[in-house]
């Protein structure tokens, strides 16, 4: 967050609020959502992959144009599937 604050400068309060909103309000704290926050016409959910070996963090996401994305399906079907996929990747890489 400190690096983002430095990068965003005067926009930081707005960006910070968006980040906090994105990671709240969903039953699974391992994911975040952006419902028109990044771009008003885009709805998406995202899940971080934090490798246990300390290598670079990756983000997996699913979304699309707001007029085509069913929010209930995005949050109740696609988000849990995305979380499960990241868990399977972690298991394959570090338990295999």
């Amino acid at each position: 967050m400190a690096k983002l604050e430095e990068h965003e400068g005067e926009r930081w309060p707005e960006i910070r609020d968006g980040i906090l909103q994105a990671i709240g309000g969903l039953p699974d704290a391992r994911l975040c959502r952006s419902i028109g926050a990044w771009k008003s016409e885009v709805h998406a959910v995202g899940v971080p992959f934090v490798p246990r070996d300390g290598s670079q963090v990756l983000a997996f996401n699913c979304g699309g144009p707001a007029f085509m994305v069913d929010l209930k399906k995005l949050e109740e079907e696609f988000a849990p599937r995305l979380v499960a996929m990241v868990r399977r990747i972690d298991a394959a890489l570090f338990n295999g």
Side-chain angles (χ1 to χ4, degrees):
M1 295 287 266
K3 287 183 182 183
L4 286 173
E5 180 177 7
E6 181 180 322
H7 181 267
E8 294 299 332
E10 292 179 13
R11 290 191 52 207
W12 173 242
E14 178 185 350
I15 300 294
R16 181 199 58 228
D17 292 349
I19 290 169
L20 294 175
Q21 183 180 19
I23 60 177
L26 289 173
D28 193 325
R30 292 166 290 204
L31 60 95
C32 65
R33 68 178 179 177
S34 177
I35 307 303
W38 175 59
K39 292 196 178 260
S40 62
E41 67 275 7
V42 176
H43 293 172
V45 290
V47 178
F49 172 63
V50 183
R52 295 184 217 172
D53 64 2
S55 57
Q56 186 173 4
V57 175
L58 302 173
F60 291 90
N61 59 71
C62 178
F67 70 90
M68 294 181 69
V69 175
D70 178 297
L71 291 178
K72 183 174 179 168
K73 192 169 191 174
L74 183 67
E75 292 183 356
E76 294 179 7
E77 183 179 336
F78 296 127
R81 291 173 69 182
L82 205 53
V83 169
M85 180 192 76
V86 169
R87 286 181 183 159
R88 286 191 307 273
I89 290 170
D90 179 75
L93 291 174
F94 298 104
N95 294 337

